[in-house]
Amino acid sequence: MHLRAFLLTSCLLLLPALVSAQDEPASARTYAYTFVNEGGDDAEGIARLDSFIQQRLRDARLLADGKGDGRVEVTVTHYYTRSDGARAWAGTMAGRDKVASRVRVFDRGGKLVEEFEVENSNKTAFGSTAGLHEKHADAIVERLRRVQ
């Protein structure tokens, strides 16, 4: 009787680990990363966006130390953000923040595997430029995880 109880308890304790292991992707790919700015003249803001994207890729274990399984190329095609002061003083009258990127994914041999657009915007007086950068980087990571 004690052996059955022990085995049942052991199985129940291991079940969450087995379930979470199934939720993970079978084999996550890693990518070399390139970033191109075709979207604006706010060099400092675009550099911060690049930094956010790299950090999110690193956190998701998608950024390769070397060549990786392929290459991801993020091209910023539109970049406009209001200053936090303009957002606070004029709100929506100051326009909207918008970041748009084209993302191309290449395999190890350089063949284009997938291409997609990511666009995020903020029309309200709430939020921040950093928050917009985070949303944009997270959207890129989410789509990259689905690339086969």
Side-chain angles (χ1 to χ4, degrees), residues 49-146:
L49 174 64
D50 178 25
S51 181
F52 267 98
I53 295 169
Q54 286 186 56
Q55 187 58 52
R56 289 299 204 250
L57 290 171
R58 209 175 280 113
D59 292 346
R61 295 192 170 117
L62 293 170
L63 190 62
D65 290 331
K67 289 187 177 185
D69 300 312
R71 179 173 57 91
V72 62
E73 175 188 275
V74 177
T75 302
V76 175
T77 57
H78 181 88
Y79 186 90
Y80 174 77
T81 59
R82 300 166 288 177
S83 70
D84 289 336
R87 185 181 294 111
W89 281 100
T92 58
M93 302 281 287
R96 71 176 176 160
D97 303 324
K98 180 179 172 186
V99 178
S101 296
R102 179 180 59 251
V103 180
R104 298 185 333 154
V105 182
F106 300 90
D107 67 12
R108 187 174 287 172
K111 178 183 169 199
L112 181 66
V113 175
E114 184 148 350
E115 183 172 358
F116 55 90
E117 303 282 329
V118 176
E119 182 178 307
N120 297 93
S121 62
N122 179 11
K123 298 176 193 172
T124 69
F126 302 104
S128 66
T129 303
L132 183 64
H133 289 171
E134 286 179 31
K135 284 194 316 187
H136 197 74
D138 289 343
I140 291 171
V141 167
E142 181 183 322
R143 289 288 304 269
L144 272 176
R145 284 185 169 150
R146 291 187 262 158

Side-chain angles (χ1 to χ4, degrees), residues 6 9 11 14 18 25 35-36 38 53 63 70 72-74 84 91 94-95 109-110 125:
F6 173 76
T9 303
C11 288
L14 289 174
L18 293 173
F35 183 87
V36 179
E38 293 178 357
I53 295 169
L63 190 62
V72 62
E73 175 188 275
V74 177
D84 289 336

